[in-house]
Structure formats: structure tokens, C-alpha cells
Amino acid sequence: MLQQTQVATVLDYYRRWLERFPTVAALAGAPEADVLRAWEGLGYYARARNLHRAAGIIRDQYGGEFPRELEQIAALPGVGRYTAGAVFSFAYDRRAPIVDANVARVLARIIHLRIPIDTAPGQRALWAAAELLLPAENVRLYNSALMELGALVCTPRGPQCLLCPVLACCAAAPHDPERLPVKKARKPTTALTEDCAWIVHGGRLLLQQGVGSRWKGLWKLPPLPAPTPDDQEPLMHLTYPFTHYQVTLRVFPAPTPATPGEHQAWCPLDSLESVAMAAPHRRAVRQLMKEG
Ligand code: SF4
């Protein structure tokens, strides 16, 4: 849950998730729709699907016990090098490096890395440094300390070099550590419009299930069957960010189709809250339901 997401956002989800799925077996045995519903609003839904698949693998291949070898952990769906190293070192106090955003900043400064850290060569250099500096034992403590150093002392702005325990071996300290780490130039934000249809018929709303990687398995309002005239006002609109896009979601009334299209289904209005829905579409549906 914490991948790309702040602790404050995750806390409530985490508690509710553990109430709903208290064991690996409970998660592995749950229908995917329930898993997506519990995740709704956290975004990056591939994480929920991966967690679900990983629970199945742990139940079926490891007798319900979380694997204890680095290669086995790293082979679980959704687990990359950082997560595998974090579990291996924090849970089992075994020897594996970790490079998260804080550690990347500390290491980039210590080795005075002047290539962008969000490129393949930059990542290779960081992981090589992390591997090289790793002590033979007490890795749990060491990795925690490295993360804390980044969070509290070697901060993005105003690093406190004079208080830093690794000042003597830091190559960036005598220069301008704030200029590190270097990152690739960001893509400019692009405006995007997403026009959807509001079709209520016989106490049911027409929804469409996502099939692409972004919202796979989640329900959303169907796309408009035909472009609207330029002067037609939407029933509502809202904006949300998606990667480097600023998306404006507009909802228009549309005629009832003779039959639902591919991946579309009618959902009774009193069941809308129980289906897993893409967060911006949930906001739109709630607003329009409130307005009646
Ligand atoms: S000496 Fe300064 S730049 Fe180097 S690791 Fe410590 S706080 Fe960061």
C-alpha cells in the first residue's frame, strides 16, 4: 500500500484491509471484486491485484507461510527489488540492500552521483553503492538508519551536514549537496478530456467495466456513444491528475441503448456503493446521485 502512497493516506485502508482480510487464506480466497472494492480510492490497482495473486501463491506453494528466501520473495507478483530487500532485512534481519527515495538521496550525495537517478544507469549506480556499503550483520538496523538519515538529516532541502554521522565520507558535502540527486526533466502536464454518459433506466445505471491495465476490473461510467454538440453543458465535471495528465471528466446525459455494449452492465441504483468503481467515477456518480 505504501508504494507511491503516503503513510497518512494508507493508515485507514490498512486497518480496514486487515479487518476484511485478516489472513493470507482470507485474501487468497476472496473474489477479485471484493479485493478491488476494499482498495477503492488508493489508486494503482495493480498493487491490489498483485497482492491478491501473491496471497494465492503463498497459500498454494508455501503452505500459507510467507517465504523466507530473497529470490522467493522477489518472485512474488508486485514485489520489486526494494520491497524484497525491505522484507528480507526488516522482517528477517538478513543481508539485502534497499534503495528507496530517502536512501537514494543519501547515497547519491555520498558518492556524488551526477547522473539522473531515475534512469537505468543511475539506478545501477545506486544499487551498486548500496550493495558495496552493506555491512555483514545488523542489516535491519543499518537499513533503518540509512532511511532515517535521509528522512531527518540528509533532507531534500537544507541537509544538516555538520550534524551528519557520515560527513567524513560524503563526497557531496564540501560542494552543494542540495543539488543532488539529479533527476530527469519532468514531462509537462497535458490537459485531457474524458466524456462519459449518464444513462439511468428502470432504477439502474449503465456502467462499463475497465479492461485496460489502468482500471482493469473496476466499474466506471461508459464513454459517450457520440460526441456532444460544442454548446451542450455537462451534467457535472471534475478534474483529477493521472501521471502527467490533468484529466477533466465530463458527464453528459445520453440515450438508453437497446442492449448494453461490450463490458457494460446495468447496476441497480441502490447497489452502486457495493461495486468497485474507479475513484473519479465514484465521485461523479455520488455527486449526480445526490443531485437526483
Ligand atoms: S554529509 Fe550532508 S550531504 Fe552528505 S550524507 Fe550527510 S547530510 Fe547528506
Side-chain angles (χ1 to χ4, degrees), residues 106 109-110 149 153-155 159-161 164-167 170 172-173 177:
V106 175
R109 288 174 177 172
I110 288 177
L149 189 67
V153 179
C154 193
T155 45
Q160 304 180 63
C161 299
C164 181
V166 298
L167 171 63
C170 178

Side-chain angles (χ1 to χ4, degrees), residues 62-284:
Y62 299 106
E65 291 289 325
F66 199 87
R68 299 187 76 93
E69 295 307 323
L70 189 62
E71 298 71 28
Q72 294 170 333
I73 300 171
L76 292 172
V79 176
R81 194 171 176 186
Y82 166 72
T83 304
V87 171
F88 200 59
S89 61
F90 292 136
Y92 305 139
D93 202 10
R94 304 266 307 272
R95 200 169 176 275
I98 54 167
V99 177
D100 72 348
N102 282 328
V103 174
R105 184 170 58 254
V106 175
L107 293 178
R109 288 174 177 172
I110 288 177
I111 64 172
H112 206 208
L113 185 66
R114 276 148 297 170
I115 49 176
I117 61 165
D118 47 358
T119 59
Q123 282 291 306
R124 271 199 299 277
L126 285 177
W127 281 97
E131 192 93 49
L132 199 71
L133 294 171
L134 203 63
E137 48 192 32
N138 291 329
V139 176
R140 175 191 287 156
L141 196 60
Y142 169 82
N143 277 346
S144 303
L146 207 52
M147 290 172 81
E148 289 292 292
L149 189 67
L152 302 176
V153 179
C154 193
T155 45
R157 300 277 155 261
Q160 304 180 63
C161 299
L162 294 178
L163 297 176
C164 181
V166 298
L167 171 63
C169 57
C170 178
H175 307 287
D176 183 3
E178 260 197 27
R179 287 170 54 197
L180 295 177
V182 180
K183 288 190 182 164
K184 277 191 303 196
R186 282 189 160 212
K187 277 191 183 175
T189 304
T190 309
L192 205 67
T193 304
E194 185 183 354
D195 286 344
C196 294
W198 182 258
I199 305 170
V200 176
H201 182 71
R204 298 170 307 165
L205 175 67
L206 189 64
L207 294 177
Q208 179 165 319
Q209 199 166 30
V211 288
S213 58
R214 181 174 162 205
W215 282 331
K216 190 170 163 218
L218 293 170
W219 292 93
K220 53 195 185 119
L221 293 167
L224 265 189
T228 53
D230 284 345
D231 58 351
Q232 187 176 348
E233 285 290 313
L235 294 168
M236 63 84 63
H237 72 274
L238 55 82
T239 59
Y240 66 93
F242 173 65
T243 62
H244 65 285
Y245 296 105
Q246 183 68 11
V247 185
T248 301
L249 169 65
R250 305 191 301 174
V251 186
F252 293 90
T256 305
T259 51
E262 205 181 358
H263 307 297
Q264 293 182 350
W266 292 104
C267 179
L269 295 178
D270 56 8
S271 301
L272 287 170
E273 287 296 325
S274 63
V275 300
M277 208 177 279
H281 290 251
R282 169 74 72 200
R283 275 166 59 205

